[in-house]
Amino acid sequence: PQYGTTVEWPADMRHDVLVSDEDSGIDVLRLQDEDESFSLLVRSFPADGATVADGVTFWAEQYGQRWDEFDLLLQQSGDDVGGVVVQFIDDAGNDVVQYIEIYATPESDVLIEVILTTTPDQLERTLEVARGVQLNGEPMLQTFAVDEVLDAA
């Protein structure tokens, strides 16, 4: 809410504002389906000179070092938006797919990360539901086509 960013979601999704910290400049909103088969985090924060490409590089390379079993499935970066799709085994032994999109806001030095987390067997349904969520009036998770994500996973 600090940056004038709007997020709209279907009425059947639960939401929680996890963080809205004016001192750090970080906002985090979590959306979940009723059955908790996925979560969608929307995180806004000061870019401090970082770019979309920097965010994509972090998620594609440095983040993967955290997991023993990690696969970078898709990666693309532009000036205003970029994304990655990754799959890994988490600490609890779960097979996880994340579709992460990073947006630059042209009016301020702010980056917005959208992090969709689900399991491979819920991915197709999750992508359909998540595409009903809008960021500043536009659908999220558009860097890759649904078929492209499903084929990669």
Side-chain angles (χ1 to χ4, degrees):
Q2 300 175 64
Y3 302 110
T5 299
T6 60
V7 180
E8 299 172 40
W9 56 87
D12 60 347
M13 291 180 91
R14 294 189 342 214
H15 69 282
D16 298 304
V17 175
L18 300 179
V19 176
S20 186
D21 185 340
E22 290 184 21
D23 292 334
S24 68
I26 295 174
D27 288 333
V28 181
L29 170 70
R30 178 179 56 200
L31 302 172
Q32 289 182 302
D33 200 14
E34 288 182 359
D35 65 2
E36 297 186 13
S37 60
F38 71 88
S39 72
L40 184 70
L41 293 178
V42 181
R43 180 176 176 259
S44 306
F45 56 95
D48 292 330
T51 65
V52 167
D54 295 330
V56 167
T57 298
F58 169 80
W59 288 105
E61 296 174 11
Q62 293 165 309
Y63 181 62
Q65 295 172 8
R66 178 175 179 207
W67 310 105
D68 291 334
E69 295 181 48
F70 178 88
D71 291 311
L72 174 63
L73 304 176
L74 297 168
Q75 176 179 355
Q76 182 176 319
S77 183
D79 291 336
D80 298 327
V81 66
V84 297
V85 177
V86 299
Q87 188 167 359
F88 58 91
I89 305 299
D90 71 10
D91 294 335
N94 300 308
D95 193 358
V96 176
V97 177
Q98 288 185 320
Y99 182 158
I100 301 140
E101 209 161 57
I102 299 111
Y103 300 86
T105 56
E107 62 279 351
S108 62
D109 187 31
V110 172
L111 291 177
I112 300 169
E113 292 178 336
V114 175
I115 305 167
L116 175 69
T117 303
T118 191
T119 59
D121 62 321
Q122 294 292 322
L123 183 59
E124 184 171 11
R125 186 185 72 78
T126 297
L127 288 171
E128 290 173 16
V129 173
R131 293 225 169 171
V133 179
Q134 295 192 344
L135 177 66
N136 296 329
E138 298 292 328
M140 295 183 185
L141 305 175
Q142 299 294 312
T143 301
F144 307 107
V146 170
D147 288 344
E148 190 176 6
V149 175
L150 295 175
D151 289 346

